[in-house]
Amino acid sequence: FLLLFLLFRWQWNNYQYLLAFLFAIEEINKSPNLLPNLSLGYDLYNAIPSYQRTLESALFLLSAGNQTLPNYNCQSQKQSLAIIAGNVPTFSAQIGTLLELYKNPQVTYGPFDPILNDKDQFPSVYQMATKDSSLAHGIIGLLLHFGWTWVALYVSSDMHGEQFLHDLNTKMTEKDICVAFAERLPPTVGSYTARDFTFLTRIRISSANVYIILGDEGSVWSLGIVKEFYLILGKVWIMRNLHPYQWDGILATMFNMPYFFHGSLLFSNQKRKISGFKQFLKTVNPSQYPEDFYLTKVWISFFNCSLAGSLCGKLRECPPNSSLELMPSYMDLMTVSDSSYFIYNAVYVVAQVLHKMLLQKIEMRSPGDADQPILLPWQLHPFLRKSQLINSAGNNMTLDEKRKYVTQYDIQNLVNFPNDSWLLVKVGDFFYKTRHDQGLVVNEEMIKWPVSFKKTPESVCSQSCVPGFQKIHQEGRPVCCFICVSCTDRDISNQTDAEQCIQCPAEEYPNTERTHCLPKPVIFLAFEDSLGMALACMALCFSVATAAVLGVFLKHQDTPIVKANNQPLSFILLISLLLCFLCSLLFIGHPNTATCILQHVTFGLVFTVAVSTILAKTITVILAFKAMKPGRIMRRLLLSGASNSVVPICSLIQVIICGIWLGTSPPFVDIDSHTEPRNLIIMCNKGSVTAFYCVLGYLGFLALGSFTVAFQARNLPDTFNETRFLTFSMLVFCSVWVTFLPVYHSTKGKLMVVVEVFSILASSAGLLGCIFAPKCFIILIRPDKNCSKGLRKHKGF
């Protein structure tokens, strides 16, 4: 084995990598089941991360000696079979190209890197870490939980950062989360150096309050020291958590702006566990590994002592209970880091591969061959790619690039205190198994937000559209930037940020706030309404008046004024007018199929009888005066009662029209939901509009004919002539119905019915008053004129 690890002078916490490596080696060498007859050897090399020293590290490995001679192996028996390296992905990539020439397998323990996963370029590199696609799901879940739809991104300018940016952008687009801007952070290679971060000043003018960082410790540290950020407060940072000692270093450099990262939300992998490792760390000391210069330096640096027998005579001897467990809090070696966990697993992976290779070679060699099988580095590849490997804790360590694990994160809140101390507080959990099997739990009450926020911060491009409004996206801007427009009179939106309003059903209407639909009340011209009651009372009053006139005429039927102008026609006219008044009641009340059919058919028939009766009376008057002149034809027509046939003939024609109407498209009950937006109008649909206007047209034709004939006969002698009253009554009748048509079409809802009923009553009342009022006046008030003597004395009624 050869372990290449990075150990900066100020990063003693990385020393845990070496201890995890040693622990795994010792555990395997003590195991009776894994490589029972062999002991694993190893070399350690601290690779300072520079391009020149990286190549030197690789040459040192290939030369297997103290001299770095290309293509020359000085000590073949010390050649390492596998290399465990790569806390920084760029380091593994640099030596991977050279190691690939010799097919040396390299198992990396650093974070997953997409470049190293390219098997065409790095077929001999195996990554212990898995692709961390679940982190993007966790961040999206956190953004959705708090309603943050306007965020900025800072990612490292490497393949890992580009892959994360692509994955995150894809998932954000699916959830309508927008990116205010995205910036690349230079990857960290080597010690921290000052860089130009002036392009990051966009944060000062951005309206986004949430910033996502995906980078290593150096990227976060570089953000913190940018002078342009000194006055930046009130930003929520979301990132993958760093190791506590890394936060110590970062926050220590930000002493002049201690609240910069205060309130950040961090995703931390749940603490890794290595069985027995903690006990190993408690007992390890330099006397066990005298050749390890760094372990001795740890004791000298942190305990200011040396072990007995050492050459450091000026230092006091270390007490027997000195242990790594007693290290300062900023030097935490007892908490297992991800890289230490992966190093431990990497050692087990290689050991199990060697075990399988040896068993296979022993089975295939000849019985008499007692030599130890020779193992070459390139022979490990088939086993590393396909083997199902298990570590001592029983965890799967398969190196298949398609392997999937259940990922669990702790969500932590970084809290800074006035004394410059800080604390990571767990405020939630996130687990991810598949796209459809994931969960997020956040305890908002425990979160301490940045100092400028008194409550949960908002980060949106546009404020949410409340119910009753819909979003209108602005051209050329992200989908999160929109304006809110109120729904129309017939639409609602019952949720926040509705993409479009929903139209209410025909039987419902929106409330004032346009948030939900209300049932429309059903309205019609009811008897209980003031208008309905007034019209019904008018109809009944006129009906009573007509019945009274009919009674008067029956009582005085033998008087000259009743006998004049065809007494039977007068009775028919009075009965038809009575029915006209009563048919108006069919238009009042809740419509049904029977009333819808009866109201228009009855109206058409009774008015036809009334108008045709007036026509017959007019013709009778004309024939009566014409018969007094010489000529047998007029007298014969008068005596035969030909004028009486006008009523049945005209009525029969109207009956035929109504029969065709009822046979083709009769009236029916209908609901009008559009005329009045907040009401349902129950009305009678006329069915065939053509038939309806044919009925009205025929009635109008009769009325016009009656008016014309009566107008021509108005100057006949007055004694037996009522044509003047007939002419005036038809003038009133025609005026009412000519006025009715435009008014009827200009009204809506139940007012149309009111106009129709009023026209029926007005026209009927006009006929009753103009024709019979003068006669009733003479019969009741001036009976002296209703006798033969009076008629001879006074011409006219």
Side-chain angles (χ1 to χ4, degrees):
F1 281 91
L2 179 66
L3 175 66
L4 302 180
F5 67 100
L6 307 182
L7 183 62
F8 304 143
R9 286 177 299 174
W10 56 86
Q11 287 187 331
W12 282 104
N13 302 72
N14 285 355
Y15 186 67
Q16 188 188 79
Y17 304 163
L18 186 148
L19 296 176
F21 179 78
L22 294 177
F23 175 70
I25 293 290
E26 292 186 5
E27 195 175 57
I28 292 171
N29 286 337
K30 294 176 182 178
S31 172
N33 301 318
L34 190 60
L35 299 175
N37 297 321
L38 293 176
S39 295
L40 292 177
Y42 58 87
D43 284 323
L44 302 174
Y45 189 78
N46 180 19
I48 298 176
S50 66
Y51 182 71
Q52 179 180 359
R53 296 299 300 271
T54 298
L55 292 180
E56 181 181 344
S57 302
L59 290 175
F60 180 88
L61 166 66
L62 296 174
S63 302
N66 295 326
Q67 299 182 19
T68 55
L69 302 177
N71 297 324
Y72 182 77
N73 192 338
C74 300
Q75 300 178 19
S76 58
Q77 68 273 18
K78 288 189 178 182
Q79 183 178 13
S80 298
L81 293 175
I83 298 93
I84 300 174
N87 188 31
V88 178
T90 52
F91 176 76
S92 295
Q94 289 173 354
I95 67 169
T97 304
L98 184 58
L99 294 177
E100 181 58 33
L101 298 174
Y102 301 91
K103 306 299 180 184
N104 286 82
Q106 179 189 174
V107 183
T108 67
Y109 57 87
F112 181 88
D113 189 87
I115 294 180
L116 299 179
N117 203 45
D118 184 359
K119 291 304 177 184
D120 293 332
Q121 185 177 359
F122 299 104
S124 299
V125 176
Y126 303 91
Q127 300 190 74
M128 292 303 304
T130 58
K131 184 179 180 180
D132 197 5
S133 59
S134 57
L135 180 60
H137 289 279
I139 292 176
I140 294 295
L142 193 65
L143 296 179
L144 293 176
H145 177 83
F146 289 108
W148 295 329
T149 58
W150 187 240
V151 299
L153 302 178
Y154 289 118
V155 298
S156 56
S157 57
D158 53 17
M159 185 60 70
H160 190 201
E162 292 298 327
Q163 184 65 46
F164 177 81
L165 182 61
H166 175 269
D167 293 344
L168 193 61
N169 270 328
T170 301
K171 295 175 178 62
M172 290 172 70
T173 302
E174 294 175 358
K175 301 298 183 180
D176 290 337
I177 301 174
C178 304
V179 178
F181 63 88
E183 297 288 4
R184 273 72 174 176
L185 301 173
T188 300
V189 178
S191 59
Y192 304 134
T193 56
R195 298 185 180 91
D196 181 13
F197 278 86
T198 55
F199 65 90
L200 295 176
T201 54
R202 292 177 63 178
I203 188 175
R204 303 186 66 176
I205 60 175
S206 174
S207 59
N209 288 326
V210 176
Y211 293 80
I212 300 171
I213 305 176
L214 182 72
D216 54 19
E217 178 190 357
S219 300
V220 178
W221 181 83
S222 299
L223 277 174
I225 65 172
V226 176
K227 295 180 179 179
E228 286 78 3
F229 286 2
Y230 280 9
L231 299 179
I232 299 299
L233 292 175
K235 304 298 181 182
V236 179
W237 301 87
I238 300 176
M239 65 189 86
R240 181 201 292 275
N241 193 13
L242 303 175
H243 197 278
Y245 78 84
Q246 294 174 321
W247 277 115
D248 280 330
I250 293 173
L251 297 176
T253 61
M254 299 171 61
F255 59 90
N256 54 346
M257 45 177 181
Y259 291 104
F260 183 75
F261 285 115
H262 173 72
S264 298
L265 296 175
L266 315 174
F267 281 82
S268 305
N269 286 317
Q270 288 195 336
K271 291 183 178 180
R272 310 281 189 175
K273 293 183 179 180
I274 302 176
S275 179
F277 184 53
K278 192 170 185 179
Q279 184 62 31
F280 171 79
L281 293 176
K282 291 179 180 179
T283 59
V284 69
N285 61 68
S287 62
Q288 295 175 332
Y289 303 96
E291 72 282 359
D292 187 349
F293 166 77
Y294 288 106
L295 187 57
T296 302
K297 190 172 181 179
V298 167
W299 249 251
I300 294 175
S301 300
F302 294 97
F303 297 116
N304 194 28
C305 66
S306 62
L307 296 178
S310 67
L311 300 178
C312 301
K314 296 182 180 180
L315 297 177
R316 63 183 177 86
E317 290 188 6
C318 293
N321 61 346
S322 58
S323 169
L324 295 177
E325 188 179 15
L326 303 177
M327 299 286 285
S329 59
Y330 63 87
M331 178 65 179
D332 183 14
L333 293 179
M334 303 302 293
T335 302
V336 179
S337 66
D338 290 346
S339 294
S340 297
Y341 179 77
F342 289 139
I343 288 176
Y344 176 80
N345 285 342
V347 175
Y348 262 91
V349 164
V350 178
Q352 291 189 29
V353 166
L354 291 174
H355 186 80
K356 291 183 178 181
M357 287 178 59
L358 289 172
L359 290 179
Q360 186 182 76
K361 287 183 175 293
I362 291 173
E363 291 175 357
M364 295 177 60
R365 71 179 180 177
S366 57
D369 190 359
D371 294 336
Q372 184 70 28
I374 298 176
L375 301 178
L376 299 175
W378 59 267
Q379 294 175 330
L380 275 66
H381 291 295
F383 294 89
L384 287 170
R385 294 186 187 121
K386 298 180 181 179
S387 297
Q388 296 291 327
L389 307 171
I390 305 295
N391 65 7
S392 62
N395 297 324
N396 189 352
M397 301 184 300
T398 304
L399 297 181
D400 181 9
E401 61 183 23
K402 297 181 180 180
R403 64 194 186 275
K404 296 181 179 179
Y405 295 101
V406 177
T407 307
Q408 291 185 325
Y409 287 102
D410 291 336
I411 301 176
Q412 296 177 306
N413 185 212
L414 182 62
V415 181
N416 273 83
F417 296 97
N419 60 356
D420 291 340
S421 63
W422 60 273
L423 181 66
L424 280 173
V425 180
K426 181 179 178 180
V427 295
D429 295 280
F430 174 75
F431 83 90
Y432 180 87
K433 185 175 182 181
T434 64
R435 185 184 183 89
H436 304 290
D437 187 7
Q438 55 181 303
L440 175 73
V441 178
V442 178
N443 187 350
E444 296 186 37
E445 296 180 355
M446 296 182 62
I447 299 177
K448 300 296 183 183
W449 299 110
V451 292
S452 59
F453 296 112
K454 303 301 181 183
K455 59 180 182 178
T456 302
E458 292 184 350
S459 187
V460 294
C461 181
S462 300
Q463 290 296 325
S464 297
C465 295
V466 298
F469 291 78
Q470 66 173 343
K471 296 195 299 186
I472 301 298
H473 296 285
Q474 298 175 287
E475 186 176 358
R477 300 200 68 189
V479 295
C480 301
C481 303
F482 49 82
I483 58 176
C484 300
V485 178
S486 177
C487 295
T488 63
D489 292 340
R490 295 184 178 180
D491 298 335
I492 65 162
S493 64
N494 54 8
Q495 61 182 4
T496 303
D497 288 337
E499 291 291 339
Q500 60 183 7
C501 296
I502 305 171
Q503 187 172 8
C504 286
E507 63 276 7
E508 297 179 347
Y509 71 96
N511 64 338
T512 306
E513 293 78 17
R514 310 281 198 275
T515 57
H516 60 276
C517 297
L518 301 174
K520 292 182 178 179
V522 176
I523 63 170
F524 53 88
L525 185 60
F527 288 102
E528 295 80 8
D529 292 345
S530 56
L531 281 175
M533 186 177 296
L535 293 174
C537 291
M538 289 175 61
L540 292 176
C541 291
F542 284 125
S543 299
V544 171
T546 305
V549 172
L550 181 59
V552 170
F553 268 57
L554 287 173
K555 183 177 180 180
H556 300 87
Q557 59 182 333
D558 296 328
T559 59
I561 199 168
V562 176
K563 290 181 178 180
N565 302 109
N566 200 328
Q567 180 182 4
L569 289 178
S570 295
F571 289 132
I572 293 174
L573 180 58
L574 284 170
I575 293 173
S576 63
L577 288 176
L578 177 62
L579 295 177
C580 286
F581 288 122
L582 292 177
C583 83
S584 64
L585 297 177
L586 294 172
F587 291 83
I588 306 174
H590 194 293
N592 55 57
T593 304
T595 56
C596 285
I597 293 176
L598 286 175
Q599 61 183 214
H600 290 99
V601 172
T602 304
F603 157 75
L605 290 177
V606 296
F607 267 88
T608 300
V609 172
V611 175
S612 62
T613 301
I614 293 173
L615 178 61
K617 287 173 70 65
T618 307
I619 294 174
T620 300
V621 173
I622 293 174
L623 289 177
F625 282 98
K626 294 290 184 182
M628 296 175 63
K629 295 180 180 181
R632 303 174 64 181
I633 297 177
M634 293 298 179
R635 184 173 297 179
R636 188 178 299 157
L637 290 174
L638 179 62
L639 294 176
S640 63
S643 60
N644 294 334
S645 63
V646 172
V647 176
I649 292 174
C650 293
S651 299
L652 179 61
I653 295 174
Q654 188 71 289
V655 169
I656 293 173
I657 295 174
C658 290
I660 295 174
W661 183 8
L662 296 179
T664 55
S665 180
F668 58 91
V669 179
D670 195 9
I671 298 177
D672 181 7
S673 59
H674 303 291
T675 300
E676 297 186 17
R678 297 196 173 189
N679 294 303
L680 284 178
I681 303 172
I682 304 297
M683 56 179 293
C684 288
N685 190 303
K686 297 174 180 59
S688 174
V689 179
T690 302
F692 171 72
Y693 283 108
C694 285
V695 170
L696 287 183
Y698 177 69
L699 189 60
F701 172 75
L702 288 179
L704 185 61
S706 299
F707 172 75
T708 303
V709 174
F711 183 78
Q712 294 296 329
R714 73 187 186 280
N715 293 323
L716 294 175
D718 292 341
T719 303
F720 296 98
N721 185 10
E722 63 176 350
T723 52
R724 289 183 180 179
F725 303 112
L726 295 177
T727 302
F728 189 68
S729 67
M730 293 313 299
L731 179 62
V732 172
F733 183 88
C734 292
S735 299
V736 169
W737 287 105
V738 168
T739 307
F740 160 79
L741 290 175
V743 175
Y744 179 78
H745 286 288
S746 63
T747 55
K748 301 295 183 182
K750 66 180 183 181
L751 291 180
M752 295 180 66
V753 183
V754 172
V755 170
E756 195 168 2
V757 173
F758 182 80
S759 299
I760 292 173
L761 296 176
S763 58
S764 302
L767 296 178
L768 179 65
C770 292
I771 297 174
F772 294 101
K775 295 183 179 182
C776 290
F777 176 79
I778 292 174
I779 293 172
L780 299 176
I781 306 300
R782 300 294 300 272
D784 58 300
K785 293 184 178 182
N786 192 16
C787 60
S788 299
K789 184 179 180 180
L791 291 174
R792 286 193 298 268
K793 185 176 181 180
H794 301 282
K795 294 182 179 181
F797 298 116

